[in-house]
């Protein structure tokens, strides 16, 4: 991979990169299509990164279908699919990790304490291997996007980070590889996340600017649905992810909810009317 990237660089070609954990859906494909448009070459990685899963999380159960993924990459015009093994990236003596000080203290980082250390480490490694000019990340994983932007700025990576909008099912559910875990009976409850965000958007448009009120209403909507356990519902600053009490500028409402055993996340930018 490093040799191929060096050759492309030597020929003056640009490289766009889309990191994934596979089980590709239309959300991943929209990132790839954007990358395809922006650079001479498009590299996609498929790697279920063990260091971003905590003990008891779904590392072993994570859905996989490499053949279908490769077919979808080919149809989307991907030049190279990078599929390292765990041993390739983490040898037996592995000991170097990348950690951020403040951003992981919010949102998903609270219930997933090693997650962003794993993400920052693997993305750093993939950037060093693939040497892209730009990398595309989904805004569905909003905290991940902010973490990567910060990582790139703090460690002086010469890589442009692009955020791509969330692709949804026709019923509003944000696409996710983990949606494969949901039973048909759980789907109406899974829709609670996007419905709660829609409700908040409507309330903000009608002049509600108090974050606690918006969060309480979202919590009521979600917890009325069977099988849901709220991890967090937060309205936060779009860059620092610190809690916001009153909406006097655009903010992000983010939430994580377990439906049965499946942990789902979603978010929305809320823009108060002026
Ligand atoms: P994953 O395979 O879940 O690690 O996701 C790989 C990339 O796809 C990440 O940048 C995600 O944010 C992005 N992604 C996942 N789901 C969606 C979606 N529904 N819409 C847009 N991007 C997504």
């Amino acid at each position: 991979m490093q040799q191929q990237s060096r050759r492309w660089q030597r020929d003056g070609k640009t490289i766009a990169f889309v990191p994934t954990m596979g089980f590709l859906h239309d959300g991943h494909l929209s990132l790839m299509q954007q990358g395809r448009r922006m650079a001479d070459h498009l590299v996609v990685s498929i790697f279920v990164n063990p260091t971003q899963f905590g003990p008891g999380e779904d590392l072993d159960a994570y859905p996989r279908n490499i053949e279908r993924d490769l077919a979808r990459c080919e149809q989307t015009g991907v030049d190279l699919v990078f599929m390292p093994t765990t041993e390739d990236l983490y040898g037996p003596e592995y000991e170097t990790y990348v950690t951020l000080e403040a951003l992981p203290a919010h949102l998903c980082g609270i219930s997933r304490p090693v997650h962003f250390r794993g993400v920052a480490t693997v993305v750093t490694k993939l950037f060093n291997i693939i040497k892209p000019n730009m990398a595309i990340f989904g805004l569905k994983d909003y905290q991940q996007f902010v973490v990567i932007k910060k990582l790139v700025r703090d460690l002086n990576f010469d890589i442009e980070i692009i955020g791509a909008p969330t692709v949804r099912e026709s019923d509003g559910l944000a696409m996710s590889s983990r949606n494969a875990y949901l039973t048909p009976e759980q789907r109406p409850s899974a829709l609670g996340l996007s419905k709660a965000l829609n409700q908040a958007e409507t309330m903000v448009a009608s002049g509600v600017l108090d974050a606690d009120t918006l969060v309480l209403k979202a919590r009521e909507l979600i917890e009325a649905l069977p099988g849901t356990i709220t991890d967090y519902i937060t309205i936060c600053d779009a860059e620092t992810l610190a809690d916001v009490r009153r909406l006097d500028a655009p903010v992000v409402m983010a939430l994580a909810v377990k439906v049965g055993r499946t942990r789902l996340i979603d978010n929305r930018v809320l823009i108060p009317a002026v």
Side-chain angles (χ1 to χ4, degrees):
M1 182 71 242
Q2 280 175 317
Q3 282 173 9
Q4 179 62 64
S5 292
R6 228 177 282 126
R7 268 197 296 275
W8 280 334
Q9 278 178 338
R10 214 171 35 228
D11 295 344
K13 304 294 189 194
T14 54
I15 302 170
F17 172 44
V18 177
T20 81
M21 298 206 299
F23 212 69
L24 303 177
H25 51 66
D26 287 353
H28 296 115
L29 261 53
S30 79
L31 271 51
M32 295 180 199
Q33 281 153 0
Q34 189 158 347
R36 181 66 289 167
R37 286 193 295 272
M38 294 184 75
D40 298 314
H41 295 294
L42 172 60
V43 177
V44 169
S45 64
I46 299 178
F47 179 62
V48 181
N49 174 38
T51 64
Q52 70 191 65
F53 289 78
E57 290 186 354
D58 58 342
L59 173 61
D60 294 333
Y62 199 82
R64 292 160 215 248
N65 187 336
I66 286 296
E67 259 155 45
R68 198 182 65 193
D69 287 352
L70 291 177
R72 301 201 90 180
C73 285
E74 193 163 12
Q75 285 155 14
T76 317
V78 176
D79 293 288
L80 196 153
V81 182
F82 181 57
M83 296 195 305
T85 64
T86 299
E87 293 69 36
D88 289 334
L89 290 196
Y90 300 105
E93 308 295 323
Y94 194 84
E95 62 172 315
T96 307
Y97 292 90
V98 180
T99 56
L100 288 89
E101 298 285 325
L103 287 173
H106 302 284
L107 311 181
C108 291
I110 298 170
S111 56
R112 307 188 72 193
V114 300
H115 178 67
F116 290 106
R117 167 187 185 258
V119 168
T121 301
V122 80
V123 169
T124 298
K125 289 163 71 65
L126 292 168
F127 282 175
N128 284 329
I129 296 167
I130 293 161
K131 311 180 209 311
N133 301 81
M134 63 205 76
I136 302 116
F137 289 84
L139 293 171
K140 192 216 140 206
D141 298 279
Y142 186 76
Q143 186 172 15
Q144 170 170 279
F145 172 71
V146 176
V147 161
I148 300 298
K149 291 269 280 191
K150 197 71 198 321
L151 166 78
V152 162
R153 197 181 328 143
D154 286 354
L155 296 186
N156 311 97
F157 280 106
D158 191 10
I159 299 172
E160 185 189 353
I161 303 301
I162 295 142
T166 302
V167 176
R168 296 176 182 280
E169 305 282 358
S170 54
D171 58 9
L173 179 65
M175 287 192 182
S176 164
S177 306
R178 289 193 170 96
N179 292 350
Y181 299 143
L182 296 169
T183 64
E185 298 75 45
Q186 288 172 331
R187 261 189 99 91
S189 294
L191 283 182
L193 286 87
S194 58
K195 283 189 176 157
L197 293 169
N198 292 343
Q199 170 181 266
E201 203 166 53
T202 308
M203 288 172 71
V204 171
S206 71
V208 180
L209 298 178
D210 177 55
D212 284 346
T213 307
L214 294 162
V215 167
L216 184 73
K217 284 287 169 198
R219 189 177 285 279
E220 281 173 8
L221 187 154
I222 286 167
E223 290 178 1
L225 298 166
T228 56
I229 300 173
T230 307
D231 177 356
Y232 65 80
I233 304 174
T234 308
I235 298 182
C236 63
D237 181 272
E239 278 176 33
T240 65
L241 306 182
D243 277 358
V244 166
R245 300 205 63 80
R246 207 183 141 74
L247 280 65
D248 37 29
V251 293
V252 173
M253 183 168 191
L255 70 179
V257 177
K258 269 191 148 178
V259 177
R261 292 160 63 135
T262 307
R263 188 174 180 280
L264 301 173
I265 60 172
D266 203 348
N267 68 81
R268 186 79 48 90
V269 174
L270 297 178
I271 305 172
V274 276

